[in-house]
Structures are given as structure tokens and as C-alpha cells.
Amino acid sequence: MNTFKALQKAVADNDKEKVANYILYPLRVNDSEKSLTIPNKKDFMAKYDQIFTDAIREALVNQKTDDLFVNYQGVMVGSGELWLRRAADNPKVFGVFSINLETVTN
């Protein structure tokens, strides 16, 4: 899963441009009160720091590939902070399609 490792490195390096290339647009960003749709790379870049919070970055950077949860919806990082899948229009492309800013941990 080379794409996943590359995404982790881009996030760890805080390389917003590279991270933006691993997003499947439109990106859905959820918090406890609402859901926001980020339609394109330009909007993602403008809101990067609000989307990739410390908690989101930490969940992704610390995720071990052996411990990833996978189901029919995609690949879950951490406790559901991020979800990744293959692009519907190009199965060779793999990226983030949903981010949950607030997750419940036990």
C-alpha cells in the first residue's frame, strides 16, 4: 500500500500540496454538528489547517498498515478519523474521501 505510506509522509511533513493530491473530491468533512463538502483542491488548500487538525494528522501518521480496518466502504484510519477508497471513475487511484473531525474512542 504505497499510496498510504506516501500520504502518511506528506501529512507528517505537513506538505499540503502533496496531501491535496491524495484527496478524492468532493471531500466530505464531518464534525458533531454538520457535514461540509470540499469540492476541489483549491478549497481544500484554503481549509487545510481546519481539516487536517492535530488529531487527524496524529491518527494518520501513527496508523500501522497491519492494523487498518477494511470493509466494503473503504479503509478506516484510527477510530474513523479518515476513510480512504479507490476512486469510482479510476480504480487505480486511491485516496481520502471522508474525514471525521470528532470521533468517539473507547
Side-chain angles (χ1 to χ4, degrees):
M1 191 178 274
N2 293 335
T3 300
F4 186 76
K5 290 286 189 190
L7 173 60
Q8 281 183 308
K9 180 170 178 9
V11 170
D13 293 346
N14 206 29
D15 188 333
K16 298 173 187 181
E17 184 76 29
K18 279 188 181 172
V19 173
N21 292 330
Y22 292 105
I23 303 298
L24 300 179
Y25 300 99
L27 172 67
R28 183 180 175 127
V29 179
N30 305 301
D31 67 22
S32 63
E33 297 176 9
K34 64 187 180 309
S35 181
L36 178 67
T37 300
I38 307 296
N40 53 46
K41 184 176 179 177
K42 180 182 175 194
D43 286 2
F44 175 78
M45 296 289 288
K47 293 180 170 70
Y48 180 88
D49 292 326
Q50 296 154 324
I51 298 169
F52 270 80
T53 62
D54 289 343
I56 297 296
R57 293 178 70 229
E58 186 176 315
L60 182 58
V61 170
N62 293 328
Q63 178 68 55
K64 296 191 180 348
T65 53
D66 291 346
D67 297 332
L68 286 167
F69 173 80
V70 181
N71 69 13
Y72 72 96
Q73 293 176 302
V75 178
M76 181 181 81
V77 173
S79 299
E81 285 88 349
L82 289 99
W83 281 86
L84 301 96
R85 69 174 176 215
R86 297 200 180 281
D89 60 344
N90 184 352
K92 293 182 179 180
V93 175
F94 185 75
V96 177
F97 72 93
S98 182
I99 295 179
N100 297 301
L101 297 177
E102 295 182 22
T103 58
V104 177
T105 56
N106 294 333

